[in-house]
Amino acid sequence: MDVDELKLLLGNTEAHRFCSQHLFSDDMWLFDGQSEISVNGDYQYFRDTISAKLGLSAEDVALVGSSKYGFSLNPKPTKTYQPFHEESDLDVVIVGEDLFERTWGAFREAYYNGYSWIKARHESDVFRRFVLLLPEENYKTVYLRSTSRLMDEMAVEVGQKTGINRKLKYRIYADWEAALNYYTHGLEKLQRSLNHDTQ
């Protein structure tokens, strides 16, 4: 699917339905042979690698972003429709209620133990029912340190097993509804800009 075909589909599909039927589908540009990147295995292997490391089901892992269609659907004007390129990262959706709840609990524990920056940095994410651990942050609780290390190891393992040596960006969502809401909101912004361009 090229950019014009995708714009047409976006213009004729309600954002929530687009996410559930298309964005999270198994069709994946990065793994379908159109990419110039040499990849070991298929999309299922990619998902299996992540889910096995995190103790989740492969169905609770999805790859989105520019690796999905070969170009970005980020609503920011500087990123919209930008092709997948040498420095593109891999945007991964991870859905794990227990992982989310334990990480959120550890954030609260750290906050009540005097690390006030935790609330300022993560409250917007938690409000939208996802969490992510930042590699540059010095997390103080044992759980956050071990989980951050686990996520780093997962990213390294993905690179080693698939041959895709790209930075891996992830969000851990409480459930699929939270993931759908997050991406639906972004697509609605993109659709509004599409409608503005065609008027």
Side-chain angles (χ1 to χ4, degrees):
M1 186 182 306
D2 63 25
V3 172
D4 291 333
E5 291 171 327
L6 187 59
K7 283 182 178 180
L8 184 62
L9 182 60
L10 276 169
N12 293 306
T13 310
E14 184 268 330
H16 191 274
R17 187 156 61 90
F18 182 92
C19 285
S20 58
Q21 293 182 355
H22 300 285
L23 186 64
F24 295 131
S25 72
D26 289 343
D27 296 328
M28 192 62 54
W29 173 84
L30 187 62
F31 292 91
D32 68 6
Q34 297 182 58
S35 161
E36 296 178 0
I37 298 174
S38 177
V39 179
N40 300 327
D42 57 12
Y43 181 44
Q44 186 61 44
Y45 179 68
F46 175 88
R47 298 169 80 193
D48 288 341
T49 301
I50 293 176
S51 61
K53 186 70 176 177
L54 301 182
L56 300 171
S57 166
E59 284 68 41
D60 289 327
V61 175
L63 189 58
V64 294
S66 58
S67 54
K68 170 68 179 178
Y69 292 110
F71 42 83
S72 175
L73 293 182
N74 191 313
K76 293 180 181 177
T78 57
K79 295 186 177 183
T80 305
Y81 308 125
Q82 185 178 64
F84 189 87
H85 54 83
E86 289 181 355
E87 297 183 10
S88 293
D89 46 34
L90 303 182
D91 294 303
V92 181
V93 171
I94 298 169
V95 176
E97 181 180 5
D98 184 58
L99 188 56
F100 170 83
E101 291 290 346
R102 283 185 289 133
T103 306
W104 182 19
F107 284 162
R108 295 196 306 273
E109 178 186 349
Y111 172 76
Y112 287 123
N113 279 289
Y115 299 99
S116 58
W117 66 267
I118 288 274
K119 179 176 181 287
R121 176 57 191 87
H122 293 285
E123 63 185 345
S124 175
D125 300 343
V126 172
F127 178 79
R128 292 174 289 176
R129 304 192 71 217
F130 69 80
V131 293
L132 67 158
L133 297 172
L134 306 169
E136 68 272 16
E137 298 294 0
N138 183 21
Y139 292 107
K140 301 297 182 180
T141 73
V142 171
Y143 175 78
L144 287 175
R145 284 199 303 269
S146 63
T147 304
S148 182
R149 190 162 45 248
L150 174 67
M151 302 306 288
D152 291 343
E153 291 170 357
M154 178 266 292
V156 170
E157 195 164 316
V158 166
Q160 291 174 339
K161 290 189 173 182
T162 66
I164 309 172
N165 295 311
R166 300 298 180 96
K167 180 180 178 182
L168 193 147
K169 280 176 51 182
Y170 66 88
R171 288 185 176 90
I172 302 165
Y173 291 87
D175 51 41
W176 275 107
E177 181 182 8
L180 277 167
N181 287 340
Y182 179 86
Y183 286 97
T184 295
H185 181 66
L187 282 177
E188 286 172 343
K189 289 183 179 179
L190 184 57
Q191 287 176 327
R192 285 194 292 272
S193 70
L194 272 175
N195 291 335
H196 182 268
D197 290 344
T198 56
Q199 288 176 355

